[in-house]
Amino acid sequence: MSSTTISAKPRRLFSGDAMLLGLAAFWLIFLNWIRLLTLPDEGRYTGVAWDMLRHGDISTPLLDGMPYFHKPPLFYWLDAICMHLFGMNEWAVRLPSVLGAWLALFATYAFVRRNYSVAAARVTLLVMATMPLFFGAAQFANMDMLVAGLISATVLAGAETILRRDSGRPWRAMSALMGALAGLAFLAKGLIGPVLPGGVLFFWLLMRRDGKGMLALLRPATLLAFAVVAVPWCWMMQVRYPGFFHYFFVYQHFERFLDSGFNNQEPWLFYVPVLIVTALPWTLWGLGLFRKPFWKAERDPKGIRRLMAIWGLVVLVFFSIPASKLVGYVLPALPPLAFLLAELVREAVERDGAASTRFGRRASISCVAAVVLCLITLVIAAISTLDRSSKPLGEVMRKHEKPGDTLVMLHTYAFDLQFYARYTRPAWIVDNWDDPSIPHVDSWRKELLDASEFDPTVQVLISQQEWKRRICTGPVGARYWVWGDGGDQNGNPLLAGVKPMASTKKNTLWLLDADAAFKQRVCGGTPTAG
């Protein structure tokens, strides 16, 4: 019997492989603490979760105390829970990404094992876990891996529904599970959560000419499961913040998707070399994908190889449409790519005679090389964070901060500073917020300005003049931690003569004590309080 033949007898899902899945989880998590938070993404998303946690209400994503609706809340919820349970550290805040990666591994392994073969499932697990992009994204605190894991689980639950229906096995509960997973995928990163799995399954069923299968995936119970998971948060935000629907759905999903004025503009074929390079050395086996025998129906009786090919192509085409492209967007294409490459590896190793030994040696070398590349990638990433991190200055502030101190940031927003300083209030951001170009440039300034429009009562975006007014009318002896760069002290009367508390290559931290002498020197005739 060939390795792709499915036994008529039911298998126990984890027979013999619990250790393999456990090792995969350990591989993804054991080094995720060695890097400082990468800016801006890890600092931003961790900062939002910390802001929600310290605010005491995790229903609304908050950026510096203001409603932040660039992304839905699932990652923030999980991050806040992990910080609460495991402390304020890099290991804890990356756990949601580890969870997303392990979900992708588990769902792919379980699906392939049940519907294809044990050997295929094991090799797929090995290949996917040691792809450098997959490994790195599992240790990066942003939404990309979490939504990739949920998209993968949704696609595979939908495909499992179809295959169970074909074989006469119970399938309705799996269809409802698909709906719930699609709802979670929506809460992870918006409409792409259900849209991408829907596109994959639509084209697969179209290829199969299976209209009844589409009806099985669109049962009322399935749609209800999706709505129960996805709708309440959106409705709550619209009631609390009128205008949420337009900003979140129309602007963030459609206008940003089609707009060419955002950052990271890349050519149409950007993701092809990205996949080839970031999945090395396994992609060196990929030439076999262009050979017709690999796609013969007798070698793929359930159409799983074709499902995986459609899955990968839908992801590639979808994210190639907008001009703005980021490497992490292509993560949902890694599970199907891993399966297809694993099939090439497995078939080569299972050949008869000397060829089996030769290809087995190549597979072993590929595995070792993949592990080495993953670790090298991690080391490079760790080194790259050292110069940009706010941790050294945040720890100084944390050590010397007193209750009631105010944090002020000059002409920038240090996304990770409040996390590392454990600062529990919104910071004042001093800049020219009347600049008419801010709403038209994709930047941190626009993010903050957009957030401020949802809750004008949070007055944290201020001018230099307003900063001076607040200090001069504030109580005598109030203290202000001021974050900026070395050039901010030159020509700024509020910092004249103030010795920095600490500095790094790029940033400086001052502690400004607004005592009577300071106010007399700086405020002059300005009325003072206290």
Side-chain angles (χ1 to χ4, degrees), residues 66-67 447-458 461:
M66 300 176 292
E447 292 181 15
L448 288 168
L449 196 62
D450 286 353
S452 70
E453 294 177 357
F454 282 99
D455 189 355
T457 65
V458 183
L461 308 183

Side-chain angles (χ1 to χ4, degrees), residues 24 26-32 34-35 97-98 101 127-140 145 278 331 334 370-379:
F26 177 76
W27 163 247
L28 294 176
I29 202 172
F30 86 111
L31 288 176
N32 82 333
I34 70 170
R35 287 187 302 108
S97 295
V98 174
V127 171
M128 196 192 317
T130 55
M131 285 180 166
L133 178 57
F134 187 89
F135 176 77
Q139 303 185 29
F140 194 85
M145 183 51 84
T278 59
L331 284 170
L334 293 186
V371 170
V372 171
L373 280 175
C374 287
L375 297 178
I376 290 174
T377 300
L378 190 61
V379 170

Side-chain angles (χ1 to χ4, degrees), residues 38 69 464:
T38 301
F69 296 129
Q464 177 75 23

Side-chain angles (χ1 to χ4, degrees), residues 95-172:
L95 288 181
S97 295
V98 174
L99 177 63
W102 193 85
L103 176 62
L105 285 172
F106 169 77
T108 307
Y109 166 83
F111 177 83
V112 174
R113 191 183 195 281
R114 179 178 293 277
N115 295 290
Y116 210 79
S117 75
V118 175
R122 291 174 177 174
V123 179
T124 300
L125 183 71
L126 177 65
V127 171
M128 196 192 317
T130 55
M131 285 180 166
L133 178 57
F134 187 89
F135 176 77
Q139 303 185 29
F140 194 85
N142 73 356
M143 281 87 171
D144 291 339
M145 183 51 84
L146 181 62
V147 73
L150 287 164
I151 286 173
S152 302
T154 304
V155 170
L156 295 170
E160 178 71 16
T161 299
I162 301 303
L163 296 176
R164 288 188 180 195
R165 184 185 62 88
D166 288 349
S167 63
R169 291 178 290 154
W171 56 269
R172 290 174 177 81

Side-chain angles (χ1 to χ4, degrees), residues 351-371:
R351 293 181 181 182
D352 295 330
S356 175
T357 302
R358 184 171 70 255
F359 282 110
R361 187 180 302 113
R362 291 182 184 178
S364 298
I365 293 172
S366 295
C367 185
V368 172
V371 170

